[in-house]
Each structure stands twice: as C-alpha cells, then as structure tokens.
Short mmCIF file of all heavy atoms in Angstrom, two decimals:
data_model
loop_
_atom_site.label_atom_id
_atom_site.label_comp_id
_atom_site.label_asym_id
_atom_site.label_seq_id
_atom_site.Cartn_x
_atom_site.Cartn_y
_atom_site.Cartn_z
N GLU A 25 20.49 17.16 2.46
CA GLU A 25 21.19 17.93 1.50
C GLU A 25 22.40 18.63 2.03
O GLU A 25 23.38 18.82 1.30
CB GLU A 25 20.23 18.94 0.85
CG GLU A 25 19.04 18.27 0.10
CD GLU A 25 18.12 19.29 -0.57
OE1 GLU A 25 18.37 20.48 -0.33
OE2 GLU A 25 17.06 18.94 -1.21
N ASP A 26 22.27 18.96 3.32
CA ASP A 26 23.52 19.59 3.99
C ASP A 26 24.65 18.60 4.05
O ASP A 26 24.48 17.56 4.65
CB ASP A 26 23.06 20.10 5.36
CG ASP A 26 24.18 20.71 6.13
OD1 ASP A 26 24.59 21.88 5.81
OD2 ASP A 26 24.82 20.10 6.96
N ASP A 27 25.75 18.99 3.59
CA ASP A 27 26.95 18.11 3.47
C ASP A 27 27.38 17.65 4.88
O ASP A 27 27.67 16.51 5.04
CB ASP A 27 28.14 18.81 2.78
CG ASP A 27 27.91 18.93 1.29
OD1 ASP A 27 26.99 18.26 0.81
OD2 ASP A 27 28.61 19.76 0.59
N GLY A 28 27.41 18.61 5.77
CA GLY A 28 27.82 18.22 7.23
C GLY A 28 26.91 17.20 7.87
O GLY A 28 27.33 16.24 8.41
N ALA A 29 25.57 17.46 7.66
CA ALA A 29 24.59 16.53 8.25
C ALA A 29 24.62 15.23 7.60
O ALA A 29 24.61 14.11 8.29
CB ALA A 29 23.20 17.16 8.09
N ARG A 30 24.93 15.18 6.28
CA ARG A 30 24.97 13.89 5.59
C ARG A 30 26.19 13.15 6.02
O ARG A 30 26.20 11.84 6.21
CB ARG A 30 25.02 14.13 4.06
CG ARG A 30 24.84 12.76 3.21
CD ARG A 30 24.54 13.02 1.83
NE ARG A 30 25.51 13.76 1.13
CZ ARG A 30 25.44 15.03 0.71
NH1 ARG A 30 24.27 15.76 1.02
NH2 ARG A 30 26.44 15.57 0.15
N ARG A 31 27.38 13.76 6.28
CA ARG A 31 28.53 13.08 6.76
C ARG A 31 28.25 12.52 8.17
O ARG A 31 28.66 11.46 8.45
CB ARG A 31 29.74 14.10 6.80
CG ARG A 31 30.43 14.30 5.52
CD ARG A 31 31.76 14.96 5.69
NE ARG A 31 31.63 16.23 6.27
CZ ARG A 31 31.44 17.43 5.59
NH1 ARG A 31 31.47 17.34 4.21
NH2 ARG A 31 31.37 18.58 6.16
N ARG A 32 27.59 13.31 9.03
CA ARG A 32 27.23 12.82 10.36
C ARG A 32 26.48 11.62 10.26
O ARG A 32 26.55 10.65 11.06
CB ARG A 32 26.62 13.98 11.22
CG ARG A 32 27.54 15.04 11.62
CD ARG A 32 26.84 16.05 12.39
NE ARG A 32 26.38 15.49 13.75
CZ ARG A 32 25.40 16.05 14.42
NH1 ARG A 32 24.81 17.18 14.03
NH2 ARG A 32 25.10 15.46 15.56
N LEU A 33 25.42 11.67 9.39
CA LEU A 33 24.49 10.53 9.26
C LEU A 33 25.30 9.33 8.72
O LEU A 33 25.06 8.18 9.09
CB LEU A 33 23.36 10.83 8.37
CG LEU A 33 22.27 9.74 8.15
CD1 LEU A 33 21.66 9.50 9.50
CD2 LEU A 33 21.26 10.22 7.16
N THR A 34 26.15 9.52 7.75
CA THR A 34 26.99 8.34 7.21
C THR A 34 27.82 7.67 8.34
O THR A 34 27.91 6.51 8.41
CB THR A 34 27.90 9.00 6.07
OG1 THR A 34 27.16 9.50 5.08
CG2 THR A 34 28.78 7.80 5.58
N TYR A 35 28.50 8.59 9.16
CA TYR A 35 29.30 8.01 10.17
C TYR A 35 28.45 7.22 11.21
O TYR A 35 28.79 6.19 11.61
CB TYR A 35 30.06 9.02 10.87
CG TYR A 35 31.15 9.81 9.99
CD1 TYR A 35 31.43 11.08 10.16
CD2 TYR A 35 31.86 8.97 9.05
CE1 TYR A 35 32.31 11.72 9.31
CE2 TYR A 35 32.79 9.61 8.31
CZ TYR A 35 33.03 10.90 8.36
OH TYR A 35 33.96 11.54 7.56
N TRP A 36 27.28 7.74 11.49
CA TRP A 36 26.38 7.13 12.50
C TRP A 36 25.96 5.73 11.88
O TRP A 36 25.98 4.68 12.67
CB TRP A 36 25.13 8.05 12.62
CG TRP A 36 24.15 7.37 13.70
CD1 TRP A 36 24.15 7.51 15.07
CD2 TRP A 36 23.03 6.56 13.33
NE1 TRP A 36 23.07 6.86 15.64
CE2 TRP A 36 22.47 6.18 14.54
CE3 TRP A 36 22.54 6.05 12.21
CZ2 TRP A 36 21.29 5.36 14.66
CZ3 TRP A 36 21.44 5.23 12.21
CH2 TRP A 36 20.88 4.92 13.43
N TRP A 37 25.54 5.78 10.64
CA TRP A 37 25.05 4.46 10.06
C TRP A 37 26.28 3.49 10.01
O TRP A 37 26.08 2.35 10.30
CB TRP A 37 24.56 4.79 8.66
CG TRP A 37 24.04 3.53 7.98
CD1 TRP A 37 22.79 3.17 7.93
CD2 TRP A 37 24.78 2.63 7.11
NE1 TRP A 37 22.57 1.96 7.16
CE2 TRP A 37 23.89 1.64 6.68
CE3 TRP A 37 26.11 2.59 6.64
CZ2 TRP A 37 24.23 0.60 5.88
CZ3 TRP A 37 26.47 1.51 5.98
CH2 TRP A 37 25.66 0.57 5.46
N ARG A 38 27.41 3.95 9.54
CA ARG A 38 28.55 3.05 9.45
C ARG A 38 28.92 2.44 10.76
O ARG A 38 29.18 1.24 10.89
CB ARG A 38 29.77 3.74 8.86
CG ARG A 38 30.96 2.89 8.71
CD ARG A 38 32.11 3.77 8.10
NE ARG A 38 32.58 4.74 9.06
CZ ARG A 38 33.36 5.73 8.66
NH1 ARG A 38 33.85 5.83 7.49
NH2 ARG A 38 33.69 6.67 9.60
N ASP A 39 28.91 3.21 11.84
CA ASP A 39 29.27 2.70 13.19
C ASP A 39 28.39 1.57 13.61
O ASP A 39 28.73 0.74 14.52
CB ASP A 39 29.31 3.82 14.27
CG ASP A 39 30.39 4.77 14.04
OD1 ASP A 39 31.43 4.42 13.27
OD2 ASP A 39 30.44 5.83 14.62
N ARG A 40 27.10 1.61 13.10
CA ARG A 40 26.15 0.66 13.61
C ARG A 40 25.70 -0.37 12.70
O ARG A 40 25.20 -1.50 13.17
CB ARG A 40 24.91 1.48 14.08
CG ARG A 40 25.06 2.26 15.28
CD ARG A 40 24.08 3.45 15.39
NE ARG A 40 24.36 4.20 16.58
CZ ARG A 40 25.35 5.11 16.71
NH1 ARG A 40 26.19 5.37 15.74
NH2 ARG A 40 25.46 5.83 17.82
N ALA A 41 25.96 -0.22 11.39
CA ALA A 41 25.48 -1.15 10.43
C ALA A 41 26.46 -2.00 9.62
O ALA A 41 26.30 -3.00 9.20
CB ALA A 41 24.51 -0.46 9.50
N ALA A 42 27.66 -1.34 9.35
CA ALA A 42 28.61 -1.94 8.47
C ALA A 42 29.87 -1.25 8.49
O ALA A 42 30.00 -0.12 9.00
CB ALA A 42 28.11 -1.91 7.00
N PRO A 43 30.97 -1.89 7.97
CA PRO A 43 32.30 -1.21 7.96
C PRO A 43 32.29 0.11 7.22
O PRO A 43 33.05 1.01 7.57
CB PRO A 43 33.21 -2.21 7.28
CG PRO A 43 32.46 -3.52 7.46
CD PRO A 43 31.06 -3.25 7.44
N ARG A 44 31.41 0.22 6.20
CA ARG A 44 31.36 1.46 5.45
C ARG A 44 29.97 1.66 4.90
O ARG A 44 29.24 0.68 4.67
CB ARG A 44 32.44 1.52 4.28
CG ARG A 44 32.28 0.30 3.36
CD ARG A 44 33.38 0.34 2.34
NE ARG A 44 33.28 -0.88 1.41
CZ ARG A 44 32.57 -0.95 0.39
NH1 ARG A 44 31.72 0.06 0.09
NH2 ARG A 44 32.56 -2.07 -0.38
N PRO A 45 29.57 2.87 4.53
CA PRO A 45 28.23 3.08 3.90
C PRO A 45 28.19 2.35 2.56
O PRO A 45 29.19 2.05 1.93
CB PRO A 45 28.24 4.60 3.77
CG PRO A 45 29.27 5.15 4.64
CD PRO A 45 30.30 4.11 4.75
N PRO A 46 26.88 2.12 2.10
CA PRO A 46 26.86 1.38 0.83
C PRO A 46 27.42 2.18 -0.35
O PRO A 46 27.31 3.44 -0.33
CB PRO A 46 25.35 1.33 0.61
CG PRO A 46 24.75 2.41 1.56
CD PRO A 46 25.69 2.51 2.68
N GLY A 47 28.16 1.45 -1.25
CA GLY A 47 28.77 2.13 -2.33
C GLY A 47 27.72 2.42 -3.44
O GLY A 47 26.54 2.07 -3.34
N ARG A 48 28.14 3.08 -4.53
CA ARG A 48 27.32 3.44 -5.47
C ARG A 48 26.50 2.37 -6.21
O ARG A 48 25.27 2.37 -6.35
CB ARG A 48 28.05 4.23 -6.66
CG ARG A 48 27.18 4.67 -7.88
CD ARG A 48 27.93 5.44 -8.91
NE ARG A 48 27.15 5.60 -10.12
CZ ARG A 48 26.25 6.55 -10.21
NH1 ARG A 48 25.90 7.44 -9.16
NH2 ARG A 48 25.54 6.72 -11.31
N ALA A 49 27.16 1.28 -6.44
CA ALA A 49 26.51 0.12 -7.07
C ALA A 49 25.46 -0.48 -6.18
O ALA A 49 24.39 -0.82 -6.57
CB ALA A 49 27.54 -0.97 -7.44
#
C-alpha cells in the first residue's frame, strides 16, 4: 500500500522479469 515501497517493488520486478511491469489489461 505504501507508494514508495510499491515503486521499489515495481522497479525490482521490471529489472528481473520484463521491460516494464504488467499493464492494466
């Protein structure tokens, strides 16, 4: 829920799994 933590998790995931986090669809 914390915006900062979610951004950090997004960047972590993106660096290891895909060019960008999954979109809404």
Side-chain angles (χ1 to χ4, degrees):
E25 295 180 0
D26 178 78
D27 290 343
R30 190 165 61 254
R31 279 195 299 272
R32 290 181 64 197
L33 185 62
T34 298
Y35 294 143
W36 180 89
W37 182 90
R38 183 180 61 191
D39 287 344
R40 289 157 181 80
R44 57 186 176 81
R48 176 177 173 79

